[in-house]
Amino acid sequence: MPTIIEPFKIKSVEPITFTTREERKAILSKAFFNAFLIKAEDVIIDLLTDSGTSAMSSAQWAGMMLGDESYAGSRSFFHFENTVKEITGMPIVIPTHQGRAAEKILFTILGGEGKYIVSNTLFDTTRANIEVSGATGVDLLCPEGKIPTVPAAFKGNMDVEALEKFILEKGAENIPVCMITVTNNSGGGQPVSMQNIRDVKAICIRHGIPMYIDACRFAENSYFIKMREKEFENKTIQEIAFEMFSYADGCTMSAKKDAFANIGGFIALRDESLALQCRNLLIIIEGFPTYGGLAGRDMEAVAIGLREVMEEQYLHYRIRTMEYLTEKLVSAGVPVMLPAGGHAVYIDAKAFLEHIPSEEYPGQALVAALYLEGGVRAVEIGSLMFGKYDEQGRLIPAMMELVRMAIPRRVYTQSHIDYVAEIIIEVYRNRRNIKGLSITYEAPTLRHFTARLREV
Ligand code: F0G
């Protein structure tokens, strides 16, 4: 089979600034071993996130010039609205400036004290918006989704038995929404099967609970369904996505992921009375209902990107990128999450750095080592991000110590990915020399963004 090539040509480029190991050593210590505190210019390959970091197409840039900046009823809004309606089949579309704004609006209305929002896995901002409303977020992920190194086709699936049990225990009246995240970002970018979505929907219907989709990576999830669920092998991505959304009562989306936009998001709904409440809140915190928090040009970019992302050649290349990097790492013995996810490769830092206990943040130590070795910026998803303290002030570690390397869309080429693999493998060879870290400063919430650390 010929090489799967990038399905695009490059018209416009951005230089990468190169640094030496000595320079990176100084930068790292100035940034207190926290990758969030490193200037982007000092990074060679930036895999901190796939969110808002996509390269837009020439069609999207052309669309930006056509953006209609009218306050009310702009042409760009109707383009945006029609596109989302066509893809999701949902009649109501509410633009927001990004995903978490959509979540804020939805859960301010649907959440509240004593309520439970159930999910396969809620993303951090989704959970935070649920909890700010007074409600509790509950993750009911299938058992295979919790074991990083054991492959399965749909590790993002919801545990349907646990869902049924939870509903009976807490009462359907206390569960205003069941939300499925596709793909499951916090669980390794793993997909959810159509069958699982149908099963969850059936339970939700039986108990009168609306089902929502967190649609950030709907196209990547649809591609996995096409590849792994026999029934869908001859369906188009559009058809698969449409069926997926057909089971949902609504969805939220961050257009910073599968819409190739640098900013943007929306809520799509079927319920007119809920939409009325959403729009009232939208006007207070985002903007008028025909722009949300967006400029007309942003809505154009999102509308065009939403169609481009469903092109199969693109998705084929996209998913192959994660597999390609995963295969290289596996063949060198590096412990990674299997199978490869849709938007990122996750290293199991606990297995990678066996000599560093959770109390010394192996994930963060690995993030620092990757930066030092090759200027590669990744993000820790482990005890620095999710760790808590017990009453004696001892760390309660996170369930897993992962390092996520999220691949921005259409930004890096195969040789960049080869370079990333080489750096990781080199770090793996010298892993015994890596030291653990201890925290010298931390904020009371979301500490990973601003924490300062030093080598133990
Ligand atoms: N839902 C999921 C599944 C996400 O991955 C994100 C963002 C959001 C909601 C929130 O969207 O950033 O536009 O407000 N994920 C980014 C990441 C930040 O790096 O994974 P947002």
Side-chain angles (χ1 to χ4, degrees):
M1 253 217 336
T3 302
I4 296 162
I5 59 172
E6 285 81 7
F8 47 80
K9 297 183 288 180
I10 298 166
K11 195 193 299 266
S12 177
V13 298
E14 241 185 307
I16 288 175
T17 328
F18 288 88
T19 45
T20 63
R21 194 190 175 88
E22 274 315 298
E23 285 165 342
R24 290 195 292 275
K25 201 171 170 192
I27 291 165
L28 197 55
S29 99
K30 234 180 99 185
F32 304 99
F33 292 87
N34 185 343
F36 283 102
L37 304 180
I38 297 172
K39 284 188 200 149
E41 267 192 338
D42 292 333
V43 174
I44 296 176
I45 305 282
D46 204 345
L47 308 182
L48 191 68
T49 179
D50 65 319
S51 179
T53 52
S54 298
M56 292 214 296
S57 65
S58 48
Q60 283 179 295
W61 282 110
M64 298 280 281
M65 287 305 292
L66 296 173
D68 175 0
E69 304 303 341
S70 305
Y71 191 95
S74 89
R75 191 182 56 242
S76 299
F77 169 71
F78 294 113
H79 183 196
F80 175 93
E81 183 190 42
N82 285 334
T83 307
V84 176
K85 278 184 180 175
E86 243 181 79
I87 294 171
T88 64
M90 293 190 201
I92 303 161
V93 182
I94 300 173
T96 60
H97 82 276
Q98 63 182 88
R100 68 198 71 183
E103 294 159 5
K104 170 76 184 164
I105 290 168
L106 193 66
F107 293 116
T108 300
I109 296 163
L110 297 179
E113 272 329 305
K115 302 262 168 69
Y116 298 91
I117 315 293
V118 290
S119 174
N120 51 344
T121 310
L122 296 161
F123 180 68
D124 328 6
T125 58
T126 322
R127 177 180 296 281
N129 276 305
I130 288 167
E131 289 178 356
V132 162
S133 82
T136 307
V138 182
D139 295 342
L140 302 170
L141 185 62
C142 65
E144 59 272 28
K146 296 173 193 162
I147 319 161
T149 47
V150 178
F154 291 102
K155 290 173 81 170
N157 281 355
M158 201 160 176
D159 184 335
V160 284
E161 276 168 37
L163 172 63
E164 186 87 60
K165 197 164 154 254
F166 189 86
I167 296 171
L168 294 175
E169 200 180 297
K170 302 290 180 191
E173 66 283 8
N174 298 314
I175 307 175
V177 189
C178 168
M179 188 154 209
I180 299 189
T181 311
V182 301
T183 57
N184 183 15
N185 181 9
S186 309
Q190 300 292 327
V192 181
S193 70
M194 193 73 86
Q195 193 52 51
N196 189 248
I197 294 174
R198 289 172 181 158
D199 294 345
V200 169
K201 177 64 177 178
I203 295 174
C204 287
I205 288 182
R206 210 160 350 103
H207 295 278
I209 299 171
M211 193 193 87
Y212 279 64
I213 293 179
D214 176 338
C216 292
R217 300 177 180 85
F218 77 98
E220 289 168 6
N221 200 83
S222 300
Y223 183 78
F224 279 119
I225 288 176
K226 184 175 169 96
M227 291 299 121
R228 296 181 187 173
E229 234 172 328
K230 191 99 184 86
E231 183 189 339
F232 295 94
E233 64 185 351
N234 296 319
K235 291 265 197 292
T236 64
I237 299 299
Q238 282 82 349
E239 288 167 334
I240 295 169
F242 193 84
E243 179 171 341
M244 215 161 68
F245 286 117
S246 76
Y247 301 117
D249 296 279
C251 71
T252 56
M253 170 145 181
S254 165
K256 299 173 74 175
K257 284 80 171 175
D258 265 355
F260 300 121
N262 302 120
I263 197 75
F266 60 83
I267 307 171
L269 295 171
R270 301 184 194 279
D271 177 343
E272 195 52 68
S273 74
L274 176 58
L276 201 69
Q277 296 178 69
C278 288
R279 288 199 184 104
N280 289 340
L281 192 51
L282 182 85
I283 291 176
I284 301 169
I285 62 174
E286 288 281 291
F288 188 72
T290 62
Y291 72 84
L294 295 172
R297 55 179 175 269
D298 298 325
M299 291 190 283
E300 286 292 341
V302 172
I304 297 164
L306 281 172
R307 289 199 195 283
E308 288 179 355
V309 78
M310 294 190 290
E311 284 164 15
E312 240 165 82
Q313 281 300 332
Y314 160 74
L315 287 167
H316 188 46
Y317 138 84
R318 171 75 176 157
I319 302 305
R320 180 62 201 149
T321 304
M322 312 307 144
E323 285 170 358
Y324 176 78
L325 179 54
T326 300
E327 282 164 16
K328 286 198 161 213
L329 298 179
V330 167
S331 66
V334 178
V336 289
M337 182 174 273
L338 294 173
H343 68 296
V345 174
Y346 293 69
I347 301 179
D348 182 349
K350 206 184 266 184
F352 193 112
L353 297 173
E354 280 171 334
H355 62 289
I356 302 182
S358 283
E359 290 70 26
E360 295 179 7
Y361 304 103
Q364 191 64 15
L366 179 54
V367 167
L370 293 173
Y371 179 74
L372 181 64
E373 184 64 35
V376 175
R377 175 155 71 170
V379 69
E380 190 251 24
I381 303 191
S383 292
L384 182 63
M385 192 180 269
F386 294 127
K388 296 204 166 79
Y389 294 111
D390 67 11
E391 276 153 24
Q392 280 79 46
R394 278 180 311 227
L395 180 78
I396 307 168
M399 195 166 62
M400 295 188 268
E401 303 290 347
L402 299 176
V403 168
R404 181 183 82 170
M405 283 164 303
I407 314 291
R409 294 170 181 77
R410 305 191 295 208
V411 171
Y412 294 118
T413 64
Q414 187 167 349
S415 74
H416 291 120
I417 301 297
D418 286 334
Y419 172 82
V420 170
E422 285 159 20
I423 296 302
I424 297 168
I425 292 166
E426 187 57 25
V427 169
Y428 188 62
R429 283 201 190 102
N430 302 316
R431 63 190 180 278
R432 301 264 164 240
N433 303 330
I434 298 173
K435 296 192 183 99
L437 299 171
S438 68
I439 296 176
T440 59
Y441 161 79
E442 63 188 288
T445 52
L446 297 173
R447 63 177 181 173
H448 56 286
F449 288 125
T450 53
R452 296 176 175 187
L453 303 101
R454 65 173 156 73
E455 281 185 332
V456 177

